[in-house]
Amino acid sequence: QQQVRQSPQSLTVWEGETAILNCSYENSAFDYFPWYQQFPGEGPALLIAIRSVSDKKEDGRFTIFFNKREKKLSLHITDSQPGDSATYFCAAYTNAYKVIFGKGTHLHVLP
Amino acid sequence: DMKVTQMPRYLIKRMGENVLLECGQDMSHETMYWYRQDPGLGLQLIYISYDVDSNSEGDIPKGYRVSRKKREHFSLILDSAKTNQTSVYFCASSLSAETLYFGSGTRLTVL
């Protein structure tokens, strides 16, 4: 049972373009959605997060858009840089401190 | 400096051998996690620990057990390792589950 789904599996954009990574979830009880960034050979690291009471969260070039009614959210990376090339995981926080991760989107930013 | 340390980074074992993966954190976080990461499957939760000797199964606990005798240390044990347990294992710790701090991972190969 996949509770958090991500698309696309892989995404390639040119430097300077906006990358859009999508995420959807099934459980209406989820109320906190972090995005983690992972570079090869490293563990994931928290990038940005949003609570379900908000519909948008910005942090520099990274913005989360959240649609509670449709149970969807997306991560927008504006002015993409080659250094943004990484795997991005959408996650959802459940009760009992369980954090459920999607399968990830591999982002490639071409110079 | 907030740090999660995993040992060893790389490990090769034969099928049927016992495996011990170790994780330490210096943040005094109560909650610690073990995840495994496989290509195309994202991060799957194996076990979660809420404090010393307070552990709970995650989504894929079969074939694994854990030990937490000190708050700063959390071990993952594979009794009689199987080839399908070849994976990258990540340990994480958190204060509130809103931010998980991951180690750099242990790449385990079971031959």
PDB file of all heavy atoms in Angstrom, chain A residues 49-87:
ATOM      1  N   ALA A  49       9.215  22.195   4.454  1.00  0.00           N
ATOM      2  CA  ALA A  49       8.056  21.438   4.910  1.00  0.00           C
ATOM      3  C   ALA A  49       6.841  22.358   4.998  1.00  0.00           C
ATOM      4  O   ALA A  49       6.987  23.584   5.112  1.00  0.00           O
ATOM      5  CB  ALA A  49       8.328  20.799   6.266  1.00  0.00           C
ATOM      6  N   ILE A  50       5.652  21.743   4.961  1.00  0.00           N
ATOM      7  CA  ILE A  50       4.411  22.516   5.040  1.00  0.00           C
ATOM      8  C   ILE A  50       3.416  21.786   5.935  1.00  0.00           C
ATOM      9  O   ILE A  50       3.405  20.552   5.992  1.00  0.00           O
ATOM     10  CB  ILE A  50       3.824  22.742   3.621  1.00  0.00           C
ATOM     11  CG1 ILE A  50       2.703  23.778   3.673  1.00  0.00           C
ATOM     12  CG2 ILE A  50       3.327  21.429   3.013  1.00  0.00           C
ATOM     13  CD1 ILE A  50       2.291  24.290   2.288  1.00  0.00           C
ATOM     14  N   ARG A  51       2.608  22.555   6.630  1.00  0.00           N
ATOM     15  CA  ARG A  51       1.522  21.982   7.413  1.00  0.00           C
ATOM     16  C   ARG A  51       0.233  22.085   6.609  1.00  0.00           C
ATOM     17  O   ARG A  51       0.079  22.959   5.765  1.00  0.00           O
ATOM     18  CB  ARG A  51       1.367  22.743   8.731  1.00  0.00           C
ATOM     19  CG  ARG A  51       2.578  22.650   9.613  1.00  0.00           C
ATOM     20  CD  ARG A  51       2.326  23.253  10.987  1.00  0.00           C
ATOM     21  NE  ARG A  51       3.545  23.217  11.788  1.00  0.00           N
ATOM     22  CZ  ARG A  51       3.994  22.147  12.413  1.00  0.00           C
ATOM     23  NH1 ARG A  51       3.314  21.021  12.339  1.00  0.00           N
ATOM     24  NH2 ARG A  51       5.111  22.197  13.099  1.00  0.00           N
ATOM     25  N   SER A  52      -0.699  21.197   6.920  1.00  0.00           N
ATOM     26  CA  SER A  52      -1.916  21.107   6.122  1.00  0.00           C
ATOM     27  C   SER A  52      -2.827  22.321   6.276  1.00  0.00           C
ATOM     28  O   SER A  52      -3.776  22.483   5.511  1.00  0.00           O
ATOM     29  CB  SER A  52      -2.686  19.836   6.485  1.00  0.00           C
ATOM     30  OG  SER A  52      -3.027  19.843   7.852  1.00  0.00           O
ATOM     31  N   VAL A  53      -2.561  23.169   7.232  1.00  0.00           N
ATOM     32  CA  VAL A  53      -3.368  24.392   7.390  1.00  0.00           C
ATOM     33  C   VAL A  53      -2.941  25.481   6.419  1.00  0.00           C
ATOM     34  O   VAL A  53      -3.602  26.509   6.292  1.00  0.00           O
ATOM     35  CB  VAL A  53      -3.294  24.930   8.832  1.00  0.00           C
ATOM     36  CG1 VAL A  53      -3.938  23.951   9.787  1.00  0.00           C
ATOM     37  CG2 VAL A  53      -1.862  25.233   9.229  1.00  0.00           C
ATOM     38  N   SER A  54      -1.822  25.278   5.745  1.00  0.00           N
ATOM     39  CA  SER A  54      -1.294  26.252   4.794  1.00  0.00           C
ATOM     40  C   SER A  54      -1.454  25.735   3.384  1.00  0.00           C
ATOM     41  O   SER A  54      -1.549  24.530   3.161  1.00  0.00           O
ATOM     42  CB  SER A  54       0.195  26.522   5.057  1.00  0.00           C
ATOM     43  OG  SER A  54       0.402  26.997   6.358  1.00  0.00           O
ATOM     44  N   ASP A  55      -1.472  26.663   2.416  1.00  0.00           N
ATOM     45  CA  ASP A  55      -1.526  26.217   1.026  1.00  0.00           C
ATOM     46  C   ASP A  55      -0.252  26.533   0.260  1.00  0.00           C
ATOM     47  O   ASP A  55      -0.105  26.141  -0.902  1.00  0.00           O
ATOM     48  CB  ASP A  55      -2.746  26.791   0.301  1.00  0.00           C
ATOM     49  CG  ASP A  55      -2.788  28.303   0.374  1.00  0.00           C
ATOM     50  OD1 ASP A  55      -1.768  28.917   0.728  1.00  0.00           O
ATOM     51  OD2 ASP A  55      -3.854  28.884   0.062  1.00  0.00           O
ATOM     52  N   LYS A  56       0.672  27.210   0.924  1.00  0.00           N
ATOM     53  CA  LYS A  56       1.913  27.564   0.261  1.00  0.00           C
ATOM     54  C   LYS A  56       2.997  27.812   1.292  1.00  0.00           C
ATOM     55  O   LYS A  56       2.758  28.393   2.342  1.00  0.00           O
ATOM     56  CB  LYS A  56       1.705  28.827  -0.583  1.00  0.00           C
ATOM     57  CG  LYS A  56       2.908  29.274  -1.401  1.00  0.00           C
ATOM     58  CD  LYS A  56       2.553  30.537  -2.186  1.00  0.00           C
ATOM     59  CE  LYS A  56       3.727  31.082  -2.961  1.00  0.00           C
ATOM     60  NZ  LYS A  56       3.382  32.330  -3.690  1.00  0.00           N
ATOM     61  N   LYS A  57       4.222  27.362   0.941  1.00  0.00           N
ATOM     62  CA  LYS A  57       5.369  27.608   1.806  1.00  0.00           C
ATOM     63  C   LYS A  57       6.557  27.872   0.915  1.00  0.00           C
ATOM     64  O   LYS A  57       6.865  27.106   0.010  1.00  0.00           O
ATOM     65  CB  LYS A  57       5.645  26.381   2.690  1.00  0.00           C
ATOM     66  CG  LYS A  57       6.853  26.514   3.604  1.00  0.00           C
ATOM     67  CD  LYS A  57       6.648  27.467   4.717  1.00  0.00           C
ATOM     68  CE  LYS A  57       7.819  27.548   5.669  1.00  0.00           C
ATOM     69  NZ  LYS A  57       8.008  26.313   6.447  1.00  0.00           N
ATOM     70  N   GLU A  58       7.216  29.023   1.162  1.00  0.00           N
ATOM     71  CA  GLU A  58       8.370  29.411   0.352  1.00  0.00           C
ATOM     72  C   GLU A  58       9.646  29.445   1.173  1.00  0.00           C
ATOM     73  O   GLU A  58       9.630  29.849   2.338  1.00  0.00           O
ATOM     74  CB  GLU A  58       8.149  30.814  -0.227  1.00  0.00           C
ATOM     75  CG  GLU A  58       7.277  30.887  -1.440  1.00  0.00           C
ATOM     76  CD  GLU A  58       7.202  32.298  -2.009  1.00  0.00           C
ATOM     77  OE1 GLU A  58       6.310  33.043  -1.575  1.00  0.00           O
ATOM     78  OE2 GLU A  58       8.050  32.630  -2.840  1.00  0.00           O
ATOM     79  N   ASP A  59      10.736  29.064   0.523  1.00  0.00           N
ATOM     80  CA  ASP A  59      12.054  29.196   1.132  1.00  0.00           C
ATOM     81  C   ASP A  59      13.042  29.390   0.000  1.00  0.00           C
ATOM     82  O   ASP A  59      13.502  28.426  -0.612  1.00  0.00           O
ATOM     83  CB  ASP A  59      12.407  27.963   1.949  1.00  0.00           C
ATOM     84  CG  ASP A  59      13.733  28.128   2.695  1.00  0.00           C
ATOM     85  OD1 ASP A  59      14.400  29.178   2.525  1.00  0.00           O
ATOM     86  OD2 ASP A  59      14.120  27.214   3.451  1.00  0.00           O
ATOM     87  N   GLY A  60      13.308  30.647  -0.313  1.00  0.00           N
ATOM     88  CA  GLY A  60      14.221  30.942  -1.408  1.00  0.00           C
ATOM     89  C   GLY A  60      13.666  30.489  -2.735  1.00  0.00           C
ATOM     90  O   GLY A  60      12.556  30.845  -3.116  1.00  0.00           O
ATOM     91  N   ARG A  61      14.396  29.635  -3.428  1.00  0.00           N
ATOM     92  CA  ARG A  61      13.951  29.140  -4.735  1.00  0.00           C
ATOM     93  C   ARG A  61      12.993  27.950  -4.618  1.00  0.00           C
ATOM     94  O   ARG A  61      12.513  27.451  -5.634  1.00  0.00           O
ATOM     95  CB  ARG A  61      15.172  28.744  -5.567  1.00  0.00           C
ATOM     96  CG  ARG A  61      16.103  29.899  -5.899  1.00  0.00           C
ATOM     97  CD  ARG A  61      17.256  29.461  -6.809  1.00  0.00           C
ATOM     98  NE  ARG A  61      18.151  28.520  -6.188  1.00  0.00           N
ATOM     99  CZ  ARG A  61      18.228  27.228  -6.500  1.00  0.00           C
ATOM    100  NH1 ARG A  61      17.431  26.723  -7.442  1.00  0.00           N
ATOM    101  NH2 ARG A  61      19.100  26.440  -5.903  1.00  0.00           N
ATOM    102  N   PHE A  62      12.740  27.489  -3.434  1.00  0.00           N
ATOM    103  CA  PHE A  62      11.908  26.308  -3.211  1.00  0.00           C
ATOM    104  C   PHE A  62      10.545  26.709  -2.655  1.00  0.00           C
ATOM    105  O   PHE A  62      10.469  27.442  -1.664  1.00  0.00           O
ATOM    106  CB  PHE A  62      12.596  25.344  -2.246  1.00  0.00           C
ATOM    107  CG  PHE A  62      13.948  24.871  -2.724  1.00  0.00           C
ATOM    108  CD1 PHE A  62      15.106  25.571  -2.392  1.00  0.00           C
ATOM    109  CD2 PHE A  62      14.060  23.745  -3.518  1.00  0.00           C
ATOM    110  CE1 PHE A  62      16.348  25.140  -2.836  1.00  0.00           C
ATOM    111  CE2 PHE A  62      15.298  23.305  -3.964  1.00  0.00           C
ATOM    112  CZ  PHE A  62      16.445  24.010  -3.631  1.00  0.00           C
ATOM    113  N   THR A  63       9.475  26.225  -3.313  1.00  0.00           N
ATOM    114  CA  THR A  63       8.117  26.540  -2.884  1.00  0.00           C
ATOM    115  C   THR A  63       7.279  25.272  -2.911  1.00  0.00           C
ATOM    116  O   THR A  63       7.316  24.524  -3.882  1.00  0.00           O
ATOM    117  CB  THR A  63       7.467  27.592  -3.799  1.00  0.00           C
ATOM    118  OG1 THR A  63       8.271  28.771  -3.803  1.00  0.00           O
ATOM    119  CG2 THR A  63       6.060  27.936  -3.306  1.00  0.00           C
ATOM    120  N   ILE A  64       6.529  25.061  -1.828  1.00  0.00           N
ATOM    121  CA  ILE A  64       5.550  23.966  -1.790  1.00  0.00           C
ATOM    122  C   ILE A  64       4.169  24.562  -2.006  1.00  0.00           C
ATOM    123  O   ILE A  64       3.783  25.531  -1.336  1.00  0.00           O
ATOM    124  CB  ILE A  64       5.570  23.234  -0.437  1.00  0.00           C
ATOM    125  CG1 ILE A  64       6.942  22.637  -0.149  1.00  0.00           C
ATOM    126  CG2 ILE A  64       4.506  22.137  -0.436  1.00  0.00           C
ATOM    127  CD1 ILE A  64       7.041  22.025   1.246  1.00  0.00           C
ATOM    128  N   PHE A  65       3.408  23.959  -2.915  1.00  0.00           N
ATOM    129  CA  PHE A  65       2.000  24.292  -3.088  1.00  0.00           C
ATOM    130  C   PHE A  65       1.188  23.098  -2.599  1.00  0.00           C
ATOM    131  O   PHE A  65       1.469  21.949  -2.957  1.00  0.00           O
ATOM    132  CB  PHE A  65       1.687  24.574  -4.567  1.00  0.00           C
ATOM    133  CG  PHE A  65       2.344  25.822  -5.085  1.00  0.00           C
ATOM    134  CD1 PHE A  65       3.592  25.759  -5.696  1.00  0.00           C
ATOM    135  CD2 PHE A  65       1.731  27.059  -4.947  1.00  0.00           C
ATOM    136  CE1 PHE A  65       4.206  26.908  -6.185  1.00  0.00           C
ATOM    137  CE2 PHE A  65       2.339  28.207  -5.410  1.00  0.00           C
ATOM    138  CZ  PHE A  65       3.588  28.131  -6.038  1.00  0.00           C
ATOM    139  N   PHE A  66       0.179  23.377  -1.788  1.00  0.00           N
ATOM    140  CA  PHE A  66      -0.569  22.303  -1.133  1.00  0.00           C
ATOM    141  C   PHE A  66      -2.062  22.449  -1.404  1.00  0.00           C
ATOM    142  O   PHE A  66      -2.632  23.527  -1.226  1.00  0.00           O
ATOM    143  CB  PHE A  66      -0.289  22.339   0.373  1.00  0.00           C
ATOM    144  CG  PHE A  66      -0.977  21.271   1.149  1.00  0.00           C
ATOM    145  CD1 PHE A  66      -0.569  19.952   1.046  1.00  0.00           C
ATOM    146  CD2 PHE A  66      -2.034  21.567   1.999  1.00  0.00           C
ATOM    147  CE1 PHE A  66      -1.196  18.951   1.769  1.00  0.00           C
ATOM    148  CE2 PHE A  66      -2.664  20.577   2.729  1.00  0.00           C
ATOM    149  CZ  PHE A  66      -2.248  19.270   2.613  1.00  0.00           C
ATOM    150  N   ASN A  67      -2.684  21.357  -1.837  1.00  0.00           N
ATOM    151  CA  ASN A  67      -4.127  21.329  -2.081  1.00  0.00           C
ATOM    152  C   ASN A  67      -4.734  20.239  -1.207  1.00  0.00           C
ATOM    153  O   ASN A  67      -4.678  19.048  -1.555  1.00  0.00           O
ATOM    154  CB  ASN A  67      -4.395  21.055  -3.565  1.00  0.00           C
ATOM    155  CG  ASN A  67      -5.870  21.141  -3.916  1.00  0.00           C
ATOM    156  OD1 ASN A  67      -6.733  20.722  -3.140  1.00  0.00           O
ATOM    157  ND2 ASN A  67      -6.178  21.681  -5.085  1.00  0.00           N
ATOM    158  N   LYS A  68      -5.285  20.627  -0.091  1.00  0.00           N
ATOM    159  CA  LYS A  68      -5.799  19.659   0.869  1.00  0.00           C
ATOM    160  C   LYS A  68      -7.001  18.894   0.318  1.00  0.00           C
ATOM    161  O   LYS A  68      -7.153  17.693   0.556  1.00  0.00           O
ATOM    162  CB  LYS A  68      -6.180  20.363   2.170  1.00  0.00           C
ATOM    163  CG  LYS A  68      -6.540  19.431   3.303  1.00  0.00           C
ATOM    164  CD  LYS A  68      -6.716  20.191   4.594  1.00  0.00           C
ATOM    165  CE  LYS A  68      -6.986  19.240   5.752  1.00  0.00           C
ATOM    166  NZ  LYS A  68      -7.093  19.956   7.047  1.00  0.00           N
ATOM    167  N   ARG A  69      -7.841  19.575  -0.403  1.00  0.00           N
ATOM    168  CA  ARG A  69      -9.052  18.934  -0.926  1.00  0.00           C
ATOM    169  C   ARG A  69      -8.700  17.785  -1.873  1.00  0.00           C
ATOM    170  O   ARG A  69      -9.309  16.726  -1.846  1.00  0.00           O
ATOM    171  CB  ARG A  69      -9.920  19.957  -1.643  1.00  0.00           C
ATOM    172  CG  ARG A  69     -11.234  19.407  -2.174  1.00  0.00           C
ATOM    173  CD  ARG A  69     -12.059  20.497  -2.824  1.00  0.00           C
ATOM    174  NE  ARG A  69     -11.367  21.088  -3.963  1.00  0.00           N
ATOM    175  CZ  ARG A  69     -11.355  20.568  -5.186  1.00  0.00           C
ATOM    176  NH1 ARG A  69     -11.989  19.433  -5.434  1.00  0.00           N
ATOM    177  NH2 ARG A  69     -10.703  21.167  -6.168  1.00  0.00           N
ATOM    178  N   GLU A  70      -7.685  18.018  -2.700  1.00  0.00           N
ATOM    179  CA  GLU A  70      -7.296  16.991  -3.659  1.00  0.00           C
ATOM    180  C   GLU A  70      -6.210  16.071  -3.116  1.00  0.00           C
ATOM    181  O   GLU A  70      -5.795  15.131  -3.798  1.00  0.00           O
ATOM    182  CB  GLU A  70      -6.820  17.642  -4.962  1.00  0.00           C
ATOM    183  CG  GLU A  70      -7.904  18.392  -5.701  1.00  0.00           C
ATOM    184  CD  GLU A  70      -7.449  18.895  -7.065  1.00  0.00           C
ATOM    185  OE1 GLU A  70      -6.325  18.542  -7.487  1.00  0.00           O
ATOM    186  OE2 GLU A  70      -8.210  19.634  -7.688  1.00  0.00           O
ATOM    187  N   LYS A  71      -5.704  16.344  -1.922  1.00  0.00           N
ATOM    188  CA  LYS A  71      -4.626  15.551  -1.311  1.00  0.00           C
ATOM    189  C   LYS A  71      -3.398  15.533  -2.219  1.00  0.00           C
ATOM    190  O   LYS A  71      -2.803  14.477  -2.490  1.00  0.00           O
ATOM    191  CB  LYS A  71      -5.090  14.135  -1.002  1.00  0.00           C
ATOM    192  CG  LYS A  71      -6.233  14.060   0.001  1.00  0.00           C
ATOM    193  CD  LYS A  71      -6.619  12.613   0.285  1.00  0.00           C
ATOM    194  CE  LYS A  71      -7.859  12.531   1.128  1.00  0.00           C
ATOM    195  NZ  LYS A  71      -8.341  11.149   1.290  1.00  0.00           N
ATOM    196  N   LYS A  72      -3.046  16.695  -2.675  1.00  0.00           N
ATOM    197  CA  LYS A  72      -1.887  16.809  -3.567  1.00  0.00           C
ATOM    198  C   LYS A  72      -1.005  17.967  -3.124  1.00  0.00           C
ATOM    199  O   LYS A  72      -1.482  18.975  -2.597  1.00  0.00           O
ATOM    200  CB  LYS A  72      -2.332  17.046  -5.020  1.00  0.00           C
ATOM    201  CG  LYS A  72      -3.036  15.878  -5.672  1.00  0.00           C
ATOM    202  CD  LYS A  72      -3.409  16.215  -7.105  1.00  0.00           C
ATOM    203  CE  LYS A  72      -4.069  15.031  -7.797  1.00  0.00           C
ATOM    204  NZ  LYS A  72      -4.457  15.343  -9.193  1.00  0.00           N
ATOM    205  N   LEU A  73       0.269  17.794  -3.384  1.00  0.00           N
ATOM    206  CA  LEU A  73       1.187  18.902  -3.167  1.00  0.00           C
ATOM    207  C   LEU A  73       2.288  18.824  -4.211  1.00  0.00           C
ATOM    208  O   LEU A  73       2.473  17.776  -4.852  1.00  0.00           O
ATOM    209  CB  LEU A  73       1.774  18.906  -1.753  1.00  0.00           C
ATOM    210  CG  LEU A  73       2.525  17.686  -1.223  1.00  0.00           C
ATOM    211  CD1 LEU A  73       3.417  18.122  -0.061  1.00  0.00           C
ATOM    212  CD2 LEU A  73       1.561  16.625  -0.721  1.00  0.00           C
ATOM    213  N   SER A  74       2.955  19.941  -4.403  1.00  0.00           N
ATOM    214  CA  SER A  74       4.036  19.966  -5.378  1.00  0.00           C
ATOM    215  C   SER A  74       5.169  20.842  -4.861  1.00  0.00           C
ATOM    216  O   SER A  74       4.936  21.803  -4.109  1.00  0.00           O
ATOM    217  CB  SER A  74       3.550  20.466  -6.734  1.00  0.00           C
ATOM    218  OG  SER A  74       3.027  21.768  -6.634  1.00  0.00           O
ATOM    219  N   LEU A  75       6.362  20.477  -5.273  1.00  0.00           N
ATOM    220  CA  LEU A  75       7.564  21.259  -4.939  1.00  0.00           C
ATOM    221  C   LEU A  75       8.041  21.920  -6.218  1.00  0.00           C
ATOM    222  O   LEU A  75       8.299  21.227  -7.204  1.00  0.00           O
ATOM    223  CB  LEU A  75       8.654  20.348  -4.371  1.00  0.00           C
ATOM    224  CG  LEU A  75      10.008  21.011  -4.102  1.00  0.00           C
ATOM    225  CD1 LEU A  75       9.892  22.026  -2.976  1.00  0.00           C
ATOM    226  CD2 LEU A  75      11.072  19.961  -3.767  1.00  0.00           C
ATOM    227  N   HIS A  76       8.110  23.245  -6.186  1.00  0.00           N
ATOM    228  CA  HIS A  76       8.602  24.010  -7.323  1.00  0.00           C
ATOM    229  C   HIS A  76      10.004  24.523  -7.005  1.00  0.00           C
ATOM    230  O   HIS A  76      10.196  25.160  -5.956  1.00  0.00           O
ATOM    231  CB  HIS A  76       7.672  25.183  -7.627  1.00  0.00           C
ATOM    232  CG  HIS A  76       6.335  24.773  -8.154  1.00  0.00           C
ATOM    233  ND1 HIS A  76       5.759  25.358  -9.260  1.00  0.00           N
ATOM    234  CD2 HIS A  76       5.466  23.822  -7.729  1.00  0.00           C
ATOM    235  CE1 HIS A  76       4.572  24.782  -9.492  1.00  0.00           C
ATOM    236  NE2 HIS A  76       4.379  23.856  -8.584  1.00  0.00           N
ATOM    237  N   ILE A  77      10.925  24.245  -7.907  1.00  0.00           N
ATOM    238  CA  ILE A  77      12.293  24.756  -7.763  1.00  0.00           C
ATOM    239  C   ILE A  77      12.514  25.728  -8.911  1.00  0.00           C
ATOM    240  O   ILE A  77      12.624  25.337 -10.079  1.00  0.00           O
ATOM    241  CB  ILE A  77      13.324  23.612  -7.814  1.00  0.00           C
ATOM    242  CG1 ILE A  77      12.982  22.537  -6.775  1.00  0.00           C
ATOM    243  CG2 ILE A  77      14.725  24.168  -7.565  1.00  0.00           C
ATOM    244  CD1 ILE A  77      13.872  21.298  -6.854  1.00  0.00           C
ATOM    245  N   THR A  78      12.523  27.008  -8.588  1.00  0.00           N
ATOM    246  CA  THR A  78      12.714  28.017  -9.628  1.00  0.00           C
ATOM    247  C   THR A  78      14.202  28.258  -9.872  1.00  0.00           C
ATOM    248  O   THR A  78      15.043  27.988  -9.008  1.00  0.00           O
ATOM    249  CB  THR A  78      12.051  29.339  -9.234  1.00  0.00           C
ATOM    250  OG1 THR A  78      12.610  29.776  -7.983  1.00  0.00           O
ATOM    251  CG2 THR A  78      10.551  29.175  -9.084  1.00  0.00           C
ATOM    252  N   ASP A  79      14.522  28.733 -11.101  1.00  0.00           N
ATOM    253  CA  ASP A  79      15.909  29.003 -11.457  1.00  0.00           C
ATOM    254  C   ASP A  79      16.801  27.814 -11.076  1.00  0.00           C
ATOM    255  O   ASP A  79      17.807  27.948 -10.372  1.00  0.00           O
ATOM    256  CB  ASP A  79      16.398  30.277 -10.770  1.00  0.00           C
ATOM    257  CG  ASP A  79      17.753  30.738 -11.247  1.00  0.00           C
ATOM    258  OD1 ASP A  79      18.132  30.403 -12.383  1.00  0.00           O
ATOM    259  OD2 ASP A  79      18.455  31.415 -10.465  1.00  0.00           O
ATOM    260  N   SER A  80      16.434  26.646 -11.552  1.00  0.00           N
ATOM    261  CA  SER A  80      17.147  25.414 -11.180  1.00  0.00           C
ATOM    262  C   SER A  80      18.635  25.517 -11.499  1.00  0.00           C
ATOM    263  O   SER A  80      19.033  26.064 -12.551  1.00  0.00           O
ATOM    264  CB  SER A  80      16.547  24.215 -11.921  1.00  0.00           C
ATOM    265  OG  SER A  80      15.214  24.004 -11.531  1.00  0.00           O
ATOM    266  N   GLN A  81      19.442  24.959 -10.603  1.00  0.00           N
ATOM    267  CA  GLN A  81      20.899  24.973 -10.747  1.00  0.00           C
ATOM    268  C   GLN A  81      21.427  23.538 -10.815  1.00  0.00           C
ATOM    269  O   GLN A  81      20.831  22.634 -10.231  1.00  0.00           O
ATOM    270  CB  GLN A  81      21.525  25.700  -9.563  1.00  0.00           C
ATOM    271  CG  GLN A  81      21.066  27.134  -9.397  1.00  0.00           C
ATOM    272  CD  GLN A  81      21.485  27.999 -10.574  1.00  0.00           C
ATOM    273  OE1 GLN A  81      22.649  28.006 -10.976  1.00  0.00           O
ATOM    274  NE2 GLN A  81      20.527  28.725 -11.137  1.00  0.00           N
ATOM    275  N   PRO A  82      22.542  23.324 -11.488  1.00  0.00           N
ATOM    276  CA  PRO A  82      23.115  21.965 -11.518  1.00  0.00           C
ATOM    277  C   PRO A  82      23.314  21.383 -10.120  1.00  0.00           C
ATOM    278  O   PRO A  82      23.181  20.178  -9.924  1.00  0.00           O
ATOM    279  CB  PRO A  82      24.446  22.166 -12.249  1.00  0.00           C
ATOM    280  CG  PRO A  82      24.187  23.333 -13.160  1.00  0.00           C
ATOM    281  CD  PRO A  82      23.283  24.249 -12.373  1.00  0.00           C
ATOM    282  N   GLY A  83      23.590  22.214  -9.148  1.00  0.00           N
ATOM    283  CA  GLY A  83      23.760  21.761  -7.773  1.00  0.00           C
ATOM    284  C   GLY A  83      22.475  21.280  -7.131  1.00  0.00           C
ATOM    285  O   GLY A  83      22.516  20.681  -6.057  1.00  0.00           O
ATOM    286  N   ASP A  84      21.341  21.519  -7.786  1.00  0.00           N
ATOM    287  CA  ASP A  84      20.055  21.015  -7.288  1.00  0.00           C
ATOM    288  C   ASP A  84      19.821  19.573  -7.717  1.00  0.00           C
ATOM    289  O   ASP A  84      18.842  18.946  -7.281  1.00  0.00           O
ATOM    290  CB  ASP A  84      18.888  21.869  -7.814  1.00  0.00           C
ATOM    291  CG  ASP A  84      18.945  23.304  -7.335  1.00  0.00           C
ATOM    292  OD1 ASP A  84      19.466  23.542  -6.217  1.00  0.00           O
ATOM    293  OD2 ASP A  84      18.472  24.195  -8.068  1.00  0.00           O
ATOM    294  N   SER A  85      20.674  19.051  -8.574  1.00  0.00           N
ATOM    295  CA  SER A  85      20.533  17.664  -9.027  1.00  0.00           C
ATOM    296  C   SER A  85      20.644  16.733  -7.835  1.00  0.00           C
ATOM    297  O   SER A  85      21.680  16.695  -7.148  1.00  0.00           O
ATOM    298  CB  SER A  85      21.606  17.327 -10.071  1.00  0.00           C
ATOM    299  OG  SER A  85      21.445  18.127 -11.230  1.00  0.00           O
ATOM    300  N   ALA A  86      19.584  16.002  -7.578  1.00  0.00           N
ATOM    301  CA  ALA A  86      19.499  15.165  -6.387  1.00  0.00           C
ATOM    302  C   ALA A  86      18.209  14.360  -6.476  1.00  0.00           C
ATOM    303  O   ALA A  86      17.435  14.499  -7.425  1.00  0.00           O
ATOM    304  CB  ALA A  86      19.486  16.027  -5.118  1.00  0.00           C
ATOM    305  N   THR A  87      17.984  13.539  -5.480  1.00  0.00           N
ATOM    306  CA  THR A  87      16.708  12.848  -5.341  1.00  0.00           C
ATOM    307  C   THR A  87      15.896  13.574  -4.284  1.00  0.00           C
ATOM    308  O   THR A  87      16.421  13.903  -3.210  1.00  0.00           O
ATOM    309  CB  THR A  87      16.917  11.382  -4.947  1.00  0.00           C
ATOM    310  OG1 THR A  87      17.687  10.726  -5.950  1.00  0.00           O
ATOM    311  CG2 THR A  87      15.567  10.669  -4.804  1.00  0.00           C
TER     312      THR A  87
END
